[in-house]
Each structure stands twice: as C-alpha cells, then as structure tokens.
Amino acid sequence: MKKIVECVPNFSEGRNTETIDAIADAIGNTAGCTLLDVDPGRSTNRTVYTFVGEPDAVVEGALAGARVAREKIDMRTHKGEHHRMGALDVCPFIPVANVTMDECVALSKAFGQRAADELGIPVYLYEASAAQDYRRKLPQIREGQYEAVKDRIVKPEWKPDFGPAQFIPEWGATVTGARFFLIAYNVNLLSTPNQAHRIALNLREAGRGPDKPGRLKEVKGMGWYVDDYNLAQVTVNLNNYRVTPPHILYEEVKKEAALLNVAVTGSEIVGVVPLEAILAAAEYYIEKENLFVLDEDQKVRLAVERLGLNAVAPFNPKEKIIEYIIAEEPDEPLAGLTTRQFIEEVASRSSAPGGGSVSAAIAAMGAGLGSMVAKLTLGVRKFEDVDAKMRKLIPPLHQAAHALIPMIDADTHAFNDYVAALGLPKETDADRACRDEQLQLGLKNAIDTPLSVMATADAAWDALVAVATYGNIASKSDVEVGARALEMGIWGAYKNVVINMAGITDDIYKKQTLEKADALKNRAADMCGQVLEILDSRS
C-alpha cells in the first residue's frame, strides 16, 4: 500500500505574493508531491503550506521550498505577530498512512542534513526527532525568537543538530522534526464566547492551570466568537487524534453544553483530515446506536452527519480527507472491464489473463453470492430472529468478495513478471545467474498470488456455511452456486500454484507452500460439501 507523509512547512513571509507563489510552485512542481493548501497571513507575516506525498518525495518538496526561501526571504527585515526564528521557521513531517513515526524521524533528519549542507543554514530537531528533552518542544527552541538566535546559537547547549553554529542574519534558524498529525477542529455553539471558553477550559489538557487540568489529553483549545458564522466555537488542536479523536471531543462538548443549557450546532474541520479519524467516528456511532453500516462511503456519510461537519461550510470528503484527495485510479485493467470484455479478453489469443485471473474472478463471485443472500435476509421481517447473525456474517463475505477483485489483475501481473525475467540476457555466467534469480522470484510471485487468492477466499467459508444454515431459503440456489464457485475458484488457484511449482529449486519453500495449498484445497471441498448438505436438508 502507498505510504503517505504530510509536510507542513511554515515560511516567514505572508505578504509578498510573488515569494508566496514561488514557494508554492516549487513544492507543487516536485514529482510525487501534492500541494493541498497555502494559507498566508498578513498580520502574522507567515505562510503555512500543506502538502503530501510518498516519503522521499516530501523531503524533495520541502527542500525545493527551502531553496526559494533562501533566495527570496530576508529575516533582517521581517516583522510579524507570530513567533518565528527563521525564514523556513518550522518543517514537520507527519505520518498519515502506512508510515511509522520512526520513518518520519528519519525523513526529518535527512531533510535537516541536506538543507544544512546545501543552503548553509543551522537546523534544530524537535518533537519525536529531538535528542534532548530541554529542546524537544518548539517554544523551547524558539524562545526569544529570531532576535535571540544570534546569542543562543553560540552556546554549547544550543548548538544546532545540523549546519553551522553561527548566526546567519538573513535566515536565522530552522526547526524540523516528526510529529503526529494535528487536527484543527471547532465545535459550534449558540452561546456567548465566555460560555464557549468555559467549556474549552474544562476539556483541554492544560485546563485552568497546573492545579486544575482538563479532562482530555492531547487537546489544546479555547473559546471564541466567529462573526462570519454568528456563533461561538470551542476551537481546539487535537495533537493526537488517536488519543482524543474528533468524535470524543464533540461528545464531551455536548455534555458540557447541556449543563449550560447551550445548543451545539455541528462542527468543522479546518484543513484536511486522515480517513482513519473519520472512520473512527463512524465506528463509534455504529456501536453506540447499534447500527449496521458496511460500506466505507456510508461510514463517512454517517460521521459527517453525526458530527455536523456540513454546518458552517460544505464538507466534501474528496476535498477534505487526505487519502481521497491523492487517490489514484486502481491499476486494474482486467477487473475494470465489463463482463463481456473480460470474457473476450480471456478468450483471445493470449496466455494472460488465464486460469489464475479467472479463478480469482470466480471466487469473488462465490463470496459475493454469499454476501448477497445474507444481505437479502437482513432486515426482512420473517427473518428478524436471525438479524443479529446476519450482521456478523455479512462483513467477512463482503470483504472477501471485494478483496478478491484486485487479485484478478494481480495474477496476470505476477505472470508478466515471470515472462519479463525470461527475456533477460544469458550470455555470461553473471547474466545467467541474475536471470535464474529473477526467474525464481518471478515463479514465487506467480505462486504466492494464487495462494493469496486461496487464503482470501477461504476466509468466506465459515460465514457461507452459516448463511446456508440461517439465510433466506428462497435464495437456496444462489448459495449453492456461491459454494460451488468459491470451491472452483480455490481449486483453480491451487492448480496455478502447482503448475508454477515445477520450476522452483527451493525445496523448503516448495514443501511448505504445497502443504498450505493442499490444506486450503481440501478444506474448500469439505466446506462446499457442508453447504450443499445443509441446503439439501432445508428443502
């Protein structure tokens, strides 16, 4: 799965449009980077850029922006309301999807080293990247702002992590590091700003001071009044949405508001949000209200509705959820075909797509039929007594059917890798050794893919047996076809495992893989028999 990192560099320029646009262009034109937002502030004289991309790409994007800043920003003339210490003041790297915090720490260090070497600037590490606790937080490093850098940077305890321990007047110093994703989140109230602030004080981690901490961890916030909306807000930064997610903050605000006889009228997310946070909200309300919601788009809709995210401005998931903003069309040329086109492609004068892709498609349809019957049973009055069972049976069948769809193309891709290895040169001993190694890798890939088809389809069997037992008997033939299709798909995938195994030279891999494949094939035959026997007994 694609790795996604967010980078949010803050540059000390919020008034000069030419410079702001030049930095935006440098970041946005970096291969692999998607610029999500540019937020300049005249009074702060600061612009916050938000962009995402794969790990290496975001480092290049940050460096591209820093190069422009080195040329165009002069801190000797900079004034603004926001605290700052450098032209590129702070540059955090934030894990969004399939990336660890440790990986982002490594990215920040790579950026810091390269920026220091190339631009000749001092760079400090903060948050998860920091080596010393006394300079872990941004306010600690930035104390005294740009004006204090000259005297602090020469002290041993304030030697930069990268770059020269000397004052660069036109630049100042830069802070970089890795931190968790920060969600800027506001809850709307029909109240006074004072009431909103009272609620914020009760909830934010700092509370009213050291002796009166608030209830929610990793929350910074206050109350204010927004003239444009004609309402008050509890405005917060959720520093770690896995500790305090938006839906928990929202529910706690509702509790506090009820004590003050104040109405809550929805909320807003400022900027973008990870999909994980929205789905967590959906799961919370699904459990709280004993709902049954399966599809991701419906879960997103539920979260948007329950949190009132459309209250003050439209919440368009494709523009607000990071994963949707940068989503690419799946590489599924076969699965994306019509049924007619797929069959015609199989029937063409070509070895791919072949039995492996067809097996994945058949298995997907088998699991899909089981899912269909379970869904047709759910919510029907005459089957209310098995409603709870159907809620548990639908997800594994639904998930297996959807998981098998991309495997239609994966099998063909795996075979193509092997074919490509066949075309490698074999003139010298080194050529032949390299070719043999790639052929073995290609064969293992061509085996592991149908083996994954078998394992994914196998996950549907227990639920399919239960659907045969409790499902709508009017759909008996659909379950029978589903069972046969699921077994056939697994059997077909097994045959692809076996035929590709002939060229494998790794005896241990061969033995272990065949044992696993045999077990899955035999279980499929047994489970299919159980489904058919159960259905015969219900007729």
Side-chain angles (χ1 to χ4, degrees), residues 132-286:
Q132 299 99 350
D133 284 337
Y134 73 87
R135 49 196 262 183
R136 184 172 300 277
K137 297 298 180 182
L138 188 56
Q140 295 172 321
I141 303 172
R142 203 161 56 187
E143 183 179 355
Q145 301 194 61
Y146 165 80
E147 288 75 14
V149 173
K150 181 178 180 180
D151 295 327
R152 295 183 89 205
I153 200 168
V154 295
K155 297 178 180 179
E157 65 270 26
W158 288 105
K159 179 183 178 182
D161 292 283
F162 305 106
Q166 66 183 69
F167 183 50
I168 311 295
E170 68 275 18
W171 183 269
T174 291
V175 183
T176 187
R179 63 165 172 81
F180 203 73
F181 192 98
L182 183 152
I183 297 177
Y185 183 56
N186 302 329
V187 180
N188 310 322
L189 300 170
L190 299 180
S191 74
T192 67
N194 179 269
Q195 289 171 314
H197 193 59
R198 285 171 61 187
I199 292 173
L201 292 175
N202 289 341
L203 298 181
R204 69 184 188 183
E205 185 170 9
R208 289 176 165 79
D211 297 330
K212 293 184 178 180
R215 294 206 302 274
L216 301 180
K217 301 294 184 183
E218 298 292 345
V219 175
K220 296 179 180 178
M222 59 179 285
W224 62 15
Y225 201 85
V226 183
D227 291 330
D228 289 346
Y229 299 160
N230 192 27
L231 48 75
Q233 288 184 326
V234 173
T235 178
V236 301
N237 283 340
L238 302 176
N239 291 338
N240 188 330
Y241 66 83
R242 291 176 182 160
V243 175
T244 299
H247 63 271
I248 294 300
L249 188 283
Y250 185 70
E251 292 298 319
E252 291 299 314
V253 170
K254 285 169 62 178
K255 292 177 185 177
E256 292 287 327
L259 296 175
L260 298 175
N261 296 319
V262 164
V264 175
T265 60
S267 63
E268 68 170 337
I269 289 173
V270 181
V272 295
V273 62
L275 177 61
E276 179 186 11
I278 296 297
L279 294 181
E283 295 299 341
Y284 170 83
Y285 290 109
I286 288 170

Side-chain angles (χ1 to χ4, degrees), residues 116 129 234 289 379:
S129 304
V234 173
E289 301 172 28

Side-chain angles (χ1 to χ4, degrees), residues 400 404 407 449-460 490 493 516 520:
L404 285 161
M407 294 183 179
T449 300
L451 189 65
S452 294
V453 170
M454 296 179 73
T456 302
D458 179 77
I490 292 173
K516 185 183 298 183
L520 291 169

Side-chain angles (χ1 to χ4, degrees), residues 235-496:
T235 178
V236 301
N237 283 340
L238 302 176
N239 291 338
N240 188 330
Y241 66 83
R242 291 176 182 160
V243 175
T244 299
H247 63 271
I248 294 300
L249 188 283
Y250 185 70
E251 292 298 319
E252 291 299 314
V253 170
K254 285 169 62 178
K255 292 177 185 177
E256 292 287 327
L259 296 175
L260 298 175
N261 296 319
V262 164
V264 175
T265 60
S267 63
E268 68 170 337
I269 289 173
V270 181
V272 295
V273 62
L275 177 61
E276 179 186 11
I278 296 297
L279 294 181
E283 295 299 341
Y284 170 83
Y285 290 109
I286 288 170
E287 181 177 356
K288 180 181 180 181
E289 301 172 28
N290 193 29
L291 305 175
F292 184 74
V293 183
L294 195 61
D295 293 327
E296 182 175 288
D297 63 334
Q298 292 184 343
K299 289 181 178 181
V300 170
R301 182 175 297 183
L302 175 68
V304 171
E305 175 66 27
R306 291 295 185 269
L307 296 175
L309 293 176
N310 284 316
V312 294
F315 182 93
N316 184 342
K318 292 183 179 179
E319 297 175 356
K320 298 291 285 185
I321 297 175
I322 291 176
E323 289 85 346
Y324 294 172
I325 296 171
I326 64 173
E328 298 177 354
E329 287 297 320
D331 184 20
E332 297 177 358
L334 296 176
L337 297 174
T338 65
T339 303
R340 174 184 293 277
Q341 290 169 334
F342 179 70
I343 294 171
E344 289 174 346
E345 189 67 24
V346 170
S348 67
R349 190 181 177 85
S350 172
S351 57
S357 293
V358 169
S359 296
I362 292 173
M365 288 187 281
L369 282 168
S371 175
M372 178 194 80
V373 174
K375 291 173 183 175
L376 290 174
T377 305
L378 178 69
V380 177
R381 178 170 294 182
K382 65 185 293 187
F383 297 115
E384 283 182 349
D385 60 321
V386 296
D387 189 86
K389 286 186 173 66
M390 291 303 124
R391 288 185 175 215
K392 293 180 179 179
L393 298 178
I394 290 171
L397 290 163
H398 178 91
Q399 290 160 11
H402 282 263
L404 285 161
I405 293 172
M407 294 183 179
I408 297 170
D409 286 277
D411 187 88
T412 297
H413 292 329
F415 180 76
N416 288 340
D417 289 343
Y418 173 72
V419 172
L422 287 172
L424 292 174
K426 47 185 177 180
E427 281 76 20
T428 67
D429 289 343
D431 287 342
R432 287 187 287 274
C434 178
R435 181 175 181 273
D436 289 344
E437 181 181 358
Q438 292 303 310
L439 283 171
Q440 288 298 302
L441 290 173
L443 281 174
K444 287 184 177 180
N445 195 19
I447 290 167
D448 290 344
T449 300
L451 189 65
S452 294
V453 170
M454 296 179 73
T456 302
D458 179 77
W461 275 123
D462 291 338
L464 191 59
V465 169
V467 168
T469 305
Y470 302 106
N472 188 340
I473 193 61
S475 299
K476 172 184 175 180
S477 63
D478 295 309
V479 183
E480 289 174 322
V481 173
R484 285 294 193 188
L486 196 61
E487 182 197 16
M488 183 65 226
I490 292 173
W491 182 87
Y494 171 80
K495 287 298 181 179
N496 275 263

Side-chain angles (χ1 to χ4, degrees), residues 71-129:
E71 177 185 342
K72 294 183 175 292
I73 296 177
D74 189 340
M75 290 300 293
R76 290 172 292 191
T77 60
H78 184 274
K79 299 293 181 183
E81 294 179 7
H82 200 289
H83 285 203
R84 81 283 185 264
M85 65 184 289
L88 169 50
D89 191 53
V90 60
C91 185
F93 293 85
I94 302 147
V96 174
N98 309 309
V99 178
T100 66
M101 186 64 74
D102 286 344
E103 288 177 281
C104 285
V105 168
L107 293 178
S108 70
K109 292 179 178 179
F111 167 77
Q113 184 68 70
R114 290 181 60 186
D117 292 346
E118 180 179 333
L119 305 178
I121 59 173
V123 180
Y124 292 93
L125 295 172
Y126 84 129
E127 289 292 346
S129 304

